[in-house]
Amino acid sequence: MVKINGEERDLAGVTLADYLAGGGYDARRVAVERNEEIVPKSRYAQTVLADGDCIEIVNFVGGG
Amino acid sequence: MDHDKLILGGKEFTSRFILGSGKYSLKLIEAAVRDAGAQIITLAVRRANTKEQESILDYIPKGVTLLPNTSGARDANEAVRIARLARELGCGDFVKIEIMRDSKYLLPDNQETIKATEILAKEGFVVLPYMYPDLYAARALADAGAAAVMPLAAPIGSNKGLAAREFIQILIDEIDLPIIVDAGIGRPSQACEAMEMGAAAVMANTALATAGDLPLMAAAFRQAIEAGRAAYLSGLGRVLVRGGSASDPLTGFLRS
C-alpha cells in the first residue's frame, strides 16, 4: 500500500505522473514529497510508487 | 521617503505592509493587495485537494513577492520539509518559519525555529522567522542567518495589539536586522505605533480578515504604517516628565 496525503491506497507500480494526471491534479501547481524527500517535477514520469511509500502532494492556500 | 527601502534577501521593497491571505475569499485578494499597497503576501502550504480547481496564485497580482509560511510544522524538521516543498512550488526562496507545538495559545517555539533557520539559510532560503520576542533567541536567529526577525505583538489572531511592546522595542534597539512585527496587531493605530517604535514592517492578516470592509481596512493599515514610518524617520518629539511647555511665544502679551 502507498500512503498518499494520509490515505492508504493500492497504487504500487503506478508512476507519480500517471497518478497526478488521473487524480485531476495540476502538476504545475503542486509539489510532491516522497518519504520526506522532494520529487522534482522533471522526475514525476520516472517515479514509480512502491509499497510502503509515503507521498505528500501539496499546494499553496491562503495563510498568514 | 522615496529612498526609504525595506531590503530583504537583497530585494528592495517600498511597502512596509506584509499582507496575509488567510481566512478570506480569494476574490478579495486583488483588492486587498492593491489597497494595502502590499508587495509581499504570505501563503500557507497544505495537502492538495483535487476538488478545488482554483489556485490562490491566480488571484495574486504579478510582481508581488510570495512569502510561504511553514504553519502546521511542530518542529524544525517539519518546517524544513514544508519550506522545501514551498520552494519546489516554484515561487521563490522566501520563507516565513512558523513552528508551534502549543495549540491553545499558538505560541512559536523559538528553539526549533532557530534550528530550522540555520538549516534553511544554509540552503539559500531568505528566512523570516516568526518568534516570541526574546533577545537571546533573536540574536541566535541573526547568527543562524535570518534575513529579518518577526516577533509577535500578541497571540496570533487575537487582534490584541502590542502586548509585547517593551520586548519588541528591545529587539528593535539591539538586533541588527529588520524587525517585522507579526501576529496580534488588530488595528491600524497599533501598526502605526509599531512603526513609530522603529519596526521595519508590520504583518497583518486577521485584523483584515475579520474587519467589516477588508479592502478599506487594508487601505487604513497602509496609511497607518506609512504615517508611523514617517514619524519614526522624522524623530519623535520629546515627552516632558512633568509640567507643560507653551507652543506660543511667552512675550508680547496684551497686558499693561
Side-chain angles (χ1 to χ4, degrees):
Chain A
M1 295 296 273
V2 178
K3 198 174 203 178
I4 293 204
N5 282 1
E7 203 180 318
E8 297 275 1
R9 303 279 303 271
D10 186 11
L11 289 166
V14 175
T15 69
L16 188 54
D18 286 344
Y19 175 74
L20 291 173
Y25 291 98
D26 181 347
R28 297 164 307 161
R29 289 287 170 80
V30 297
V32 180
E33 191 189 61
R34 179 194 201 187
N35 303 328
E36 303 196 8
E37 298 285 339
I38 297 286
V39 183
K41 287 192 198 306
S42 59
R43 299 196 53 84
Y44 288 176
Q46 297 112 286
T47 301
V48 180
L49 303 178
D51 272 329
D53 273 355
C54 186
I55 307 289
E56 294 287 344
I57 304 167
V58 302
N59 60 7
F60 282 132
V61 298
Chain B
M1 289 289 284
D2 290 347
H3 303 293
D4 178 38
K5 303 257 187 358
L6 169 65
I7 299 172
L8 296 171
K11 251 182 159 170
E12 291 188 349
F13 302 94
T14 50
S15 162
R16 292 175 179 271
F17 182 13
I18 298 179
L19 184 68
S21 64
K23 299 190 287 193
Y24 58 89
S25 160
L26 295 178
K27 293 179 180 61
L28 279 172
I29 288 179
E30 193 180 355
V33 168
R34 183 190 63 225
D35 294 355
Q39 294 168 329
I40 302 175
I41 190 165
T42 61
L43 299 167
V45 175
R46 287 291 181 272
R47 283 174 171 170
N49 177 352
T50 53
K51 291 184 199 82
E52 282 169 28
Q53 287 303 317
E54 287 189 314
S55 167
I56 189 170
L57 297 177
D58 295 329
Y59 290 86
I60 298 174
K62 293 235 166 351
V64 174
T65 295
L66 303 183
L67 176 58
N69 68 36
T70 66
S71 64
R74 293 161 298 184
D75 58 27
N77 178 50
E78 288 183 1
V80 166
R81 285 171 56 201
I82 294 168
R84 289 173 182 157
L85 282 164
R87 182 153 71 178
E88 185 63 18
L89 283 164
C91 299
D93 48 17
F94 278 56
V95 66
K96 172 182 157 183
I97 300 185
E98 199 174 320
I99 301 174
M100 299 164 184
R101 282 184 297 141
D102 167 80
S103 59
K104 184 173 181 189
Y105 302 101
L106 302 170
L107 294 175
D109 182 320
N110 283 352
Q111 266 186 310
E112 291 295 311
T113 302
I114 293 162
K115 281 190 224 164
T117 297
E118 191 165 14
I119 295 166
L120 292 169
K122 279 191 187 131
E123 292 183 15
F125 283 87
V126 177
V127 183
L128 291 89
Y130 168 57
M131 56 101 64
Y132 191 83
D134 172 82
L135 178 60
Y136 304 117
R139 282 185 180 144
L141 289 168
D143 290 344
V149 176
M150 302 181 81
L152 61 82
I156 197 164
S158 69
N159 283 354
K160 283 187 170 170
L162 284 166
R165 179 191 291 100
E166 298 300 326
F167 305 100
I168 289 172
Q169 187 69 66
I170 291 171
L171 301 192
I172 290 169
D173 293 344
E174 300 300 328
I175 302 296
D176 196 19
L177 285 176
I179 302 298
I180 301 172
V181 176
D182 185 1
I185 295 289
R187 302 170 182 227
S189 56
Q190 296 156 354
C192 185
E193 187 179 352
M195 296 305 294
E196 287 172 356
M197 286 163 54
V202 167
M203 146 101 214
N205 190 149
T206 301
L208 278 70
T210 59
D213 181 331
L214 194 154
L216 188 55
M217 186 59 84
F221 263 89
R222 172 192 194 155
Q223 290 163 5
I225 288 165
E226 287 174 359
R229 180 63 183 175
Y232 170 74
L233 292 176
S234 78
L236 291 170
R238 91 285 188 265
V239 176
L240 293 179
V241 174
R242 62 175 67 84
S245 170
S247 302
D248 313 307
L250 290 170
T251 56
F253 295 122
L254 305 182
R255 187 186 293 159
S256 59

